[in-house]
Amino acid sequence: MPSDRTSGDRTPIVSGNWKMNNNHFEAIQCVQKLAYLLQKDDFDAVEVTIHPPFTDLRSMQTLIDADQLRLKLGAQNCHPDDKGAFTGEISPVFLAKLGVQYVIVGHSERRESFGENDEFVARKVAAVQKHGMTPILCVGETLAERESGLTLDKVKVQVRSALEKRTSEQVKSMVIAYEPIWAIGTGRNASPEDAQEVIAAIREEVASVVSRPAAQAIRLQYGGSVKAGTIADIMRQPDIDGVLVGGASLDPTEFARIVQYRRHAF
Ligand code: PEP
């Protein structure tokens, strides 16, 4: 049964994943423009997180602090350990120190290109929460899995393995992004109804693995080629609490229109 976002306390959350784009100078320009386009009302209605590359985080933290912006700073990844011999990796301790509040964990590009498995992703979820930040756990199926009818099996296993050692209170504050891999960066969307069906199943899985209150409270995003023209129909779905946006978040005008979906939707 679909839950009702309006009756819960699930503030919509729109997240911009810049991937490996925007050096720290470009990042400053992008955020200044975004901050100019977004109004108080937008931030009252929607939580907005930006996830620049690691090398931009310090500049972003300074800008957000100095201009008292209501954008929340996010990272795209971290290592599960606090410190050690992990050349090239970034500790969650360092991210917390930089004022990072959200960390994307288990993005399909990391699972597919860097061999991250469910067990490693689960360790990252725990590490992010250990340091007071919120994980945005990404789950989703390949096109072959979808065509074989394996979508729900795949995402349920991903959800279960990331959450089974978490407490109900820990899971309540988390975010899960359902990102069908075939829709990321391809211009293809899952239909809002298909996304709702999978996301409702994810919520049921959270209820079964963790607790019903956790399932009611956790925020669930859709991600995959979201644009200003498509978000309104996505956000009308009762279980979808937000979106994780890649390509379209690089253009501040487009991303601001996505955040402002209410103005052109309802
Ligand atoms: C993503 O990177 O998580 C993503 C959803 O990308 P895009 O919006 O470009 O499909």
Side-chain angles (χ1 to χ4, degrees), residues 45-67:
V46 178
E47 193 171 5
V48 185
T49 76
I50 51 157
H51 301 255
F54 290 128
T55 51
D56 301 356
L57 287 173
R58 181 71 171 121
S59 309
M60 294 293 91
Q61 180 203 29
T62 304
L63 180 59
I64 287 171
D65 281 358
D67 290 1

Side-chain angles (χ1 to χ4, degrees), residues 17 19 107 109 179 183-185 223-226 244-247:
N17 173 17
K19 313 192 191 203
H107 191 281
E109 286 156 14
E179 298 209 303
I184 297 178
S225 298
V226 173
L244 178 54
V245 185

